[in-house]
Amino acid sequence: MTPARKSTGRVAFVGSGPGDAGLLTVRAQELLAKAEVVVTDPDVPAGVLALANDKAEVRPAVGEPADVAKDLTAEAKNGKLVLRLIAGDPLTQPAVVAEVQAVSRTSAVFDIIPGVSPGAAVPAYAGVALGGTHTEVDVRGDVDWAGLASIPGTLVLHATSSHLAEAASRLVEHGMTPQTPVAVTSNGTINTQRTIDTTLASVSQDAGELVGPLVVTVGQAAGQRSKLSWWESRALYGWKVLVPRTKEQAGEMAERLRGHGATSHEVPTISVEPPRSPAQMERSVKGLVDGRYQWIVFTSTNAVRAVWEKFEEFGLDARAFSGVKIACVGESTAAKVRSFGILPELIPTGEQSSEGLLAEFPPYDDVLDPVDRVLLPRADIATETLSAGLRERGWEIDDVTAYRTVRAAPPPADTREMIKTGGFDAVCFTSSSTVRNLVGIAGKPHTRTLVACIGPKTAETAVEFGLRVDVQPEKADVPSLVDALAEHAARLRAEGALPPPRKAKRARRS
């Protein structure tokens, strides 16, 4: 019998762009999700690596270009999709070009997926309009300074702080005026980006403290960037916001904070565990299948997850919800329900809380409703507000413990110190339990930390614990909470109570 022919692998040289994982190309994302081996450089952002296939082997590129190429081709000959991940753009880096050339001399099939060039992206994130004429040069190597100084248009220089003095003096020596505007950007396109406005005469003094690779724009366009500086001028730019949730739970909030320029720091305050006895949940799931319930009411994503896990345990799927109406306390819970292919019938249009749901929940009608019972799977510490309100509307309630919430372990010592000393600019509380548990495991946030609470119950608990509530949105959901915090920060800044975003870190140090 002829053995099956091994599938042909391939090598993909993929540029990860300048830093912001959101700038990764669609093709690069597709290959990251499929690659079986990822060979990466140390300066590839963690956010990009996080998009790699969970089952992929991720390892650093080791050795000279010929050694790396040999490793890549060996994996490809074994039938694997091998991804060579490079910060920036592959063919702009001599060492990577040498790797590509070495692979091209073999029989391996290879692709080149360009990344967004830092020379174009970083000035754009700094608000510098490069226009149609600009020149990009890496001044960390040999440079024709006379030729460079005579080129019309904006210069985009790749450098470190140690190169600034020489670059400025040589450009002035060859004819550029000392007062030529310069913008120096570090950590380009990520939330710690910092741009310093200066001139050739002062650049080494003003920007000498910046570390790491720098993108330096030289010319009149650099001096006109203030009106286009969209990235560093956002309301929460450079802020560190404490989020008392797990990374999995905080995904939506972290993305929203990032959109306003902040960095989220997740601190789990609650650990979710199964109920001590599974009997209640097992009877409830059987009741769903047998048509015992007219409604099931979900008050959290954890409750949705707990019911679905019990379904999977019994070999059930979404068909078990046939004939049962589903109500969700808010949009995030509804989104979790929809992720399983099910559309909820009721989500509050007003306040997204137990009270908001009760205000819109229909009373039991013995003519229209064939069954008078509601399943309410919740946490062990849930209040009686919802179940009592539903009973008042004529419904029989099966109030079932779907999961237990226990206090999480304390965060690391440095995080606790930041909480107590004001190292966080703000904290976003999404429930009363996150307030209680954060104070319990880490202490009260410092008075200089702004406190944002998702709704009235959460705010009431925060006040009980001696916290000053600065922000409470009109609508009790995560997007509204983050947006309200950003609006509050912008309002304080307009009143002169906060420094401009781009100067926030420097002002705090002083």
Side-chain angles (χ1 to χ4, degrees), residues 135 137 139 145 148 155-159 167 171 214-218:
T135 303
V137 178
V139 299
W145 292 108
L148 189 60
L155 300 181
V156 180
L157 312 180
H158 296 272
L171 289 172
L214 307 176
V215 174
V216 184
T217 49
V218 182

Side-chain angles (χ1 to χ4, degrees), residues 182-384:
V182 176
V184 185
T185 305
S186 63
N187 297 327
T189 77
I190 60 177
N191 274 23
T192 54
Q193 174 177 307
R194 183 180 175 196
T195 301
I196 291 178
D197 298 306
T198 182
T199 63
L200 284 176
S202 306
V203 64
S204 60
Q205 179 181 347
D206 292 343
E209 66 181 84
L210 298 181
V211 297
L214 307 176
V215 174
V216 184
T217 49
V218 182
Q220 294 307 312
Q224 299 167 1
R225 75 177 195 90
S226 59
K227 293 181 180 179
L228 300 181
S229 181
W230 61 280
W231 183 250
E232 294 174 59
S233 60
R234 292 168 300 163
L236 301 178
Y237 192 79
W239 280 35
K240 295 177 181 177
V241 179
L242 178 64
V243 178
R245 309 181 88 176
T246 64
K247 281 190 179 293
E248 179 186 17
Q249 293 172 321
E252 180 186 15
M253 182 177 289
E255 182 61 27
R256 197 81 175 190
L257 285 166
R258 181 183 174 281
H260 286 293
T263 302
S264 64
H265 295 257
E266 294 82 10
V267 174
T269 62
I270 298 171
S271 176
V272 176
E273 297 183 359
R276 288 189 173 87
S277 170
Q280 261 194 331
M281 278 289 284
E282 289 173 357
R283 284 197 299 270
S284 299
V285 170
K286 185 177 185 298
L288 280 170
V289 176
D290 293 342
R292 175 179 171 81
Y293 301 108
Q294 176 79 353
W295 285 89
I296 180 170
V297 177
F298 288 116
T299 58
S300 70
T301 56
N302 285 327
V304 178
R305 189 180 297 109
V307 170
W308 194 259
E309 287 173 354
K310 191 60 68 173
F311 271 32
E312 290 182 330
E313 185 180 321
F314 290 131
L316 301 172
D317 56 28
R319 288 172 292 184
F321 284 109
S322 176
V324 180
K325 295 180 179 180
I326 298 173
C328 296
V329 76
E331 280 296 340
S332 59
T333 304
K336 190 68 177 177
V337 170
R338 293 188 195 102
S339 72
F340 295 116
I342 307 164
L343 298 178
E345 277 79 11
L346 176 60
I347 308 164
T349 55
E351 181 182 327
Q352 299 203 332
S353 64
S354 294
E355 290 82 356
L357 182 60
L358 283 171
E360 300 182 33
F361 203 92
Y364 171 66
D365 188 314
D366 58 3
V367 175
L368 298 177
D369 296 312
V371 181
D372 67 350
R373 193 167 293 274
V374 174
L375 175 60
L376 186 57
R378 301 191 296 165
D380 56 333
I381 61 171
T383 64
E384 297 299 316

